[in-house]
C-alpha cells in the first residue's frame, strides 16, 4: 500500500531546483490532501563576514524572503492546495530543514532541490541536501533541474 503523506515540507532557496521541488511538493500535497509547509531558511553565517553589519540589511533580506514566500503560497493555493503555510527561519539550514522544522511541524515528507553551495563550500561545510537526506527522520525527495539530470545521464 502506498504511503499517504499528511505534512509536507518544501525548502525554497531561489534556485531552479528549489522551484522544481516546490512544483513536485504541490502535486504531492494535492494528491494526498496534505498540508504544505513552505520553508525558507536565512543562513545566519552569511552575515558573519559582513564588516558593516546593520539591521537594515537583515530587514531587507527578510522583506525579500517574505515577498517570495507569499508568491509561493499563492501559487500553491492557485494549484489547488487547500492547506499551505510559509515560514522564514534564521539559523543553520542543515539543522532547521533536516530536524528542527520537521519535528515542530510533524513533517512526514521533506522535498528539497539538489542545489545550493558551490563545490568548494560543499567540500568545506557539506551540502544541505546531502545532510538532510542522511539524517532526516522522515522520507526525503531530492529534485534535480531537468538540465542537470540530463547532463548526469549522459
Amino acid at each position: 500500500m502506498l504511503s499517504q503523506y499528511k505534512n509536507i515540507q518544501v525548502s525554497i532557496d531561489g534556485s531552479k531546483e528549489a522551484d522544481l521541488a516546490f512544483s513536485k511538493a504541490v502535486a504531492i500535497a494535492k494528491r494526498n490532501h496534505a498540508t504544505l509547509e513552505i520553508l525558507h531558511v536565512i543562513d545566519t553565517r552569511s552575515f558573519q563576514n559582513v564588516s558593516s553589519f546593520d539591521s537594515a540589511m537583515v530587514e531587507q533580506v527578510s522583506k525579500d524572503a517574505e515577498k517570495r514566500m507569499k508568491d509561493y503560497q499563492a501559487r500553491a493555493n492557485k494549484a489547488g492546495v487547500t492547506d499551505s503555510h510559509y515560514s522564514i527561519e534564521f539559523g543553520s539550514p542543515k539543522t532547521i530543514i533536516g530536524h528542527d522544522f520537521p519535528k515542530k511541524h510533524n513533517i512526514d515528507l521533506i522535498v528539497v532541490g539538489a542545489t545550493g553551495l558551490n563545490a568548494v563550500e560543499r567540500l568545506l561545510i557539506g551540502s544541505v541536501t546531502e545532510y538532510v537526506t542522511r539524517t532526516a527522520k522522515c522520507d526525503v525527495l531530492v529534485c534535480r533541474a531537468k538540465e542537470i539530470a540530463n547532463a548526469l545521464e549522459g
Side-chain angles (χ1 to χ4, degrees):
M1 185 168 155
L2 292 175
S3 176
Q4 182 163 347
Y5 298 109
K6 293 184 173 114
N7 298 301
I8 300 167
Q9 169 187 316
V10 61
S11 301
I12 303 298
D13 68 0
S15 67
K16 288 181 185 180
E17 289 86 355
D19 201 59
L20 176 64
F22 173 78
S23 296
K24 287 190 179 187
V26 165
I28 296 166
K30 192 173 167 185
R31 209 170 35 243
N32 287 270
H33 306 287
T35 298
L36 180 63
E37 297 287 349
I38 309 163
L39 173 64
H40 178 70
V41 180
I42 297 173
D43 190 345
T44 53
R45 293 175 305 183
S46 61
F47 299 114
Q48 291 174 353
N49 297 328
V50 179
S51 59
S52 61
F53 177 81
D54 67 43
S55 61
M57 184 186 336
V58 175
E59 283 182 41
Q60 187 59 49
V61 169
S62 298
K63 191 175 170 183
D64 293 346
E66 179 91 20
K67 181 188 180 317
R68 186 179 315 129
M69 298 306 281
K70 284 181 179 179
D71 291 345
Y72 275 107
Q73 186 178 30
R75 283 175 52 192
N77 293 341
K78 186 176 179 182
V81 174
T82 57
D83 189 8
S84 67
H85 312 274
Y86 70 85
S87 298
I88 301 167
E89 302 280 336
F90 288 84
S92 166
K94 287 180 180 182
T95 305
I96 294 170
I97 294 168
H99 299 286
D100 300 346
F101 194 88
K103 185 176 181 180
K104 184 178 176 183
H105 295 273
N106 200 27
I107 299 298
D108 49 15
L109 176 65
I110 299 171
V111 184
V112 292
T115 186
L117 305 172
N118 66 42
V120 174
E121 289 172 318
R122 265 196 310 274
L123 179 65
L124 295 174
I125 60 175
S127 161
V128 171
T129 300
E130 186 273 333
Y131 179 84
V132 170
T133 58
R134 227 179 356 94
T135 64
K137 303 285 187 226
C138 63
D139 291 348
V140 178
L141 174 62
V142 179
C143 303
R144 296 186 187 280
K146 291 180 178 114
E147 313 84 67
I148 293 171
N150 291 340
L152 291 174
E153 289 175 2

